[in-house]
Amino acid sequence: GADGIWENAAAFGGRCYCPACRKGFAEQTGFGHIPREENWDDPVWRRYVLWRYECGREHTVRLRDSVKRHGEDRGYCGEFFSYLEPGSRENAEDVDAIRDLWDYQMACIFPLTRASLRSPLSPVPVWRAEEQMKYLRATGGGNWTGPDTAGDGATRGPAQTPVMLYGHFDNQSRYTTPAPEEMALWLAGMAAQGGSPWDCSFVGVPPARWWDRRHQDTHERFYAFLAEHEADFAGLQSFAEIGLLHSHRTQDRFASGDPARDSYITHVRGWMLALFASHRQWDILPPSSLAAETLARYRALVLPNVACLSDEDAALLRRYVEAGGALLATFETGCYAADGARRERGALDDLLGVESLGVRARGPLPYSYARLRRAGDPDTHALLDGFDDTEVLTNEGHVRPVRAAPGTGVHATLVPEIFPQPPDLSYPALWDNDAPLVTSRRCGAGRVVYFAGQTDRLNLTSGHPDHGRLLHNALAWALADTPAPLLETDAPADVHVTLLRQVSTGRLYAHLVNYSGARGRPVIPPHPAGEIGLSIDSRLTAQTGDATLLVAGATLPVRREGGRVRVTVPRLDRYEVVRF
C-alpha cells in the first residue's frame, strides 16, 4: 500500500454560501447568516473568518484519522501556501493551529519573479526560502536554545525537519526556469535554515522531456552536496536570542496583496531586513509561542505592527519585560482585540509608554518628516546614533496619534507634510510639536522602544537607509543590558549568517549566504566576500581543534580568546557552512 498521503493545496476556497455552510455556521456559532461583505466592525464577519479556520482544522483531523487507520507509520502532510500570504485567510490554513496533525512541516515556496520591477523584494523577497523555513522550524518544534541562554536546564527532543516544496520553474510561468542564481539562492537559503528540499516540478512529462532543461546542473550540484553532508543537515535547531512574533489574526485583518495597501506583511519583512543585516540570531515565533517559558529564552521580542492581541497576551508580554526582556513594537500594536475588533485604547499602551488620543491613524503622509530630539537621558541618545549632522529624517505612511506618558523618552516627533512643490510654498507649517514617532522607556528590569509610525514597513518600501538605521539603533539600545551576542561577525549586511545546533552531536553550524548579487532582479552572480570573521560565545561549543568549511572542503584554525571562539572564513562566494 501507499506509504502515506500528501494533500495537495487544501483550502476552504474563499467565501461560501452553500446550504451546508449556512447550516454549519448557524449551528456552530449561533449567527443566522453569513455576511456578504467584509466588515471588521461586524462581529458576525469576525466570527465567520475564525469559523473557516475551524472548518479547516476539522477537515485536517478527519483526513489524518483516515490515513492513520491504515497504520501509525503511514505519513500524512498537507501542502499549504507560505505563511506570509495575504490570501491565507481565504484558504483558512493556519499551520500553527494544525501543526500537531502533520507528520512533518511543509510549505510550497516557489520563486516568483514576474512584476518584480527589478526589485529583490517583490512580488516575494529573494530570501523567501529563509523566512518560510524559519516559520516551519518553529511550528515543527525546532526553535531551541540551550541551558546557557534559556536558563531553564530543559532537554528538548528532536524537531521535525521543515520541508521546502519548490520547482525548477517560476510558479507564474510553469514551463520556464528562473535565473540560475536565484534558484541557487533559493536552495542555499533553505539549507541555511535547517530545511530539506522537495522538488515538485510538475509539468506533465518526465524530466528528460521537459521543454526548458536549463540549470539542472544547479540542482544536481546542490543535491550532491547535501548527499555528501547528509549527517550535517540532520536534526538542526536554532540558537537564537531574538524572537519576531507573527500574528495570524493581524495578517487576516491588515495584509493585502497590494504592497501599497498592506499594513502587516511589509512591516514583518521590514524588520526581517533589519535583523538579517544586524547578524543577530532570531527566530520567528508563531502565536502558540506566547507562553512564559518560551518567551523567557529570548533576550528581545519584536512586534511588527502586531495589532491584534488578547488581554492575556498583553499581560504575558508585560511580565516578560518587567522580568528583564526587551520589547520593540511598531504602529498599531495592541490596538485591536484578538478577533480584530478595534479597542478604545491599546492593550500595551502602558507598557509602550503612550496614551491614545482616541482617533484613527493619520495618513498616508508621503511628505512628512521625523524631527529628532536629543534631550533627556543621555543613555538614550544611542537611539539616534549616526544622525549627528541632521535634525530631520524622511518619513511617510501612517502614524498613530498618541501622546507620551510621563517618564517616557521621546526621540523623534512628527513634522506634518511639507509639500515639495511649488518650492516657494515648500516650508513647514508646524516644525515643533509633541506628536511622538519614536519613544523609549524602562519597565522593571526591561527596556521598550516604540515606533508610532511605520518605520519597519518603510525599511522595506522606501529605499532610504535611515529607517534601517533607526531599527538597528533601537535593537542595540534595547539589548544594551544583555550579554554580547551569541554570534558576532564583520560580514557585510547582505550576507545572512545563521547559527544552528545539532542536538544529537552538540555540533554548531554557522551558515553564510551571500545575497550581494540579489540587489535586484534578475539575480546575478554574487560578489565574493573577502575575509569574514566569526566569533561565537565560548559557552556554546567546546571546540579546540580546527573547524571545517563544508562547501570549500577545508579546515579553519580556531582561536579561543576573551570568552569567544573565533575563526576567519577566507572567502565567501554564494554559500558556506562552518562546522564547529
Side-chain angles (χ1 to χ4, degrees), residues 475-486:
L475 194 63
W477 181 82
L479 289 166
D481 293 336
T482 67
L486 301 176

Side-chain angles (χ1 to χ4, degrees), residues 260-481:
R261 298 175 56 202
D262 173 79
S263 288
Y264 181 67
I265 295 174
T266 46
H267 284 261
V268 175
R269 286 180 170 155
W271 259 115
M272 286 182 177
L273 272 178
L275 290 168
F276 275 130
S278 75
H279 301 121
R280 289 274 189 170
Q281 299 304 293
W282 58 282
D283 285 335
I284 292 171
L285 303 182
S288 62
S289 299
L290 278 172
E293 62 273 16
T294 302
L295 299 187
R297 304 176 204 162
Y298 297 94
R299 298 173 180 175
L301 297 179
V302 173
L303 278 62
N305 192 30
V306 178
C308 300
L309 279 175
S310 69
D311 292 339
E312 294 76 16
D313 291 341
L316 178 66
L317 293 167
R318 199 173 287 108
R319 291 193 296 271
Y320 166 81
V321 173
E322 290 171 349
L327 187 138
L328 303 100
T330 64
F331 195 37
E332 293 190 304
T333 290
C335 290
Y336 297 78
D339 68 349
R342 187 173 182 85
R343 296 175 179 272
E344 290 186 11
R345 60 183 62 85
L348 288 178
D349 282 0
D350 59 327
L351 180 63
L352 303 180
V354 297
E355 298 172 356
S356 172
L357 297 183
V359 295
R360 294 183 180 269
R362 296 179 59 185
L365 304 171
Y367 307 115
S368 62
Y369 294 83
R371 179 75 186 273
L372 303 184
R373 306 289 182 178
R374 292 183 173 83
D377 184 356
D379 171 65
T380 63
H381 292 182
L383 287 160
L384 301 181
D385 278 354
F387 300 125
D388 293 344
D389 295 329
T390 182
E391 299 176 36
V392 294
L393 304 178
T394 182
N395 187 67
E396 56 187 293
H398 290 78
V399 175
R400 182 187 172 207
V402 293
R403 67 169 61 90
T408 298
V410 178
H411 312 289
T413 53
L414 175 67
V415 177
E417 289 188 295
I418 305 174
F419 292 90
Q421 298 293 339
D424 49 320
L425 296 179
S426 181
Y427 58 85
L430 182 63
W431 192 252
D432 292 300
N433 65 78
D434 58 358
L437 279 178
V438 184
T439 67
S440 71
R441 69 185 294 261
R442 295 174 182 268
C443 180
R447 295 185 175 205
V448 177
V449 180
Y450 174 59
F451 295 88
Q454 297 182 297
T455 303
D456 46 357
R457 169 182 160 81
L458 295 176
N459 191 40
L460 185 89
T461 61
S462 81
H464 200 289
D466 284 350
H467 310 296
R469 179 174 287 279
L470 280 172
L471 297 181
H472 174 83
N473 289 350
L475 194 63
W477 181 82
L479 289 166
D481 293 336

Side-chain angles (χ1 to χ4, degrees), residues 120-129 131 182 186 269 460 521:
L121 304 174
S122 65
V124 293
V126 289
W127 33 263
R128 189 190 200 194
E131 73 179 18
E182 178 145 356
W186 223 251
R269 286 180 170 155
L460 185 89
R521 283 188 169 108

Side-chain angles (χ1 to χ4, degrees), residues 80-153:
F80 90 106
F81 299 99
S82 41
Y83 79 106
L84 283 181
E85 294 282 352
S88 65
R89 182 187 66 207
E90 304 304 324
N91 295 327
E93 292 177 306
D94 183 351
V95 173
D96 189 42
I98 62 175
R99 60 184 187 170
D100 295 334
L101 301 171
W102 284 354
D103 291 312
Y104 55 93
Q105 304 296 296
M106 186 272 294
C108 58
I109 308 170
F110 295 97
L112 297 172
T113 59
R114 288 190 180 183
S116 64
L117 303 176
R118 299 194 63 82
S119 167
L121 304 174
S122 65
V124 293
V126 289
W127 33 263
R128 189 190 200 194
E130 293 202 62
E131 73 179 18
Q132 300 299 328
M133 290 297 97
K134 278 180 176 287
Y135 184 77
L136 294 184
R137 193 176 65 218
T139 58
N143 284 356
W144 183 89
T145 50
D148 36 43
T149 55
D152 57 7

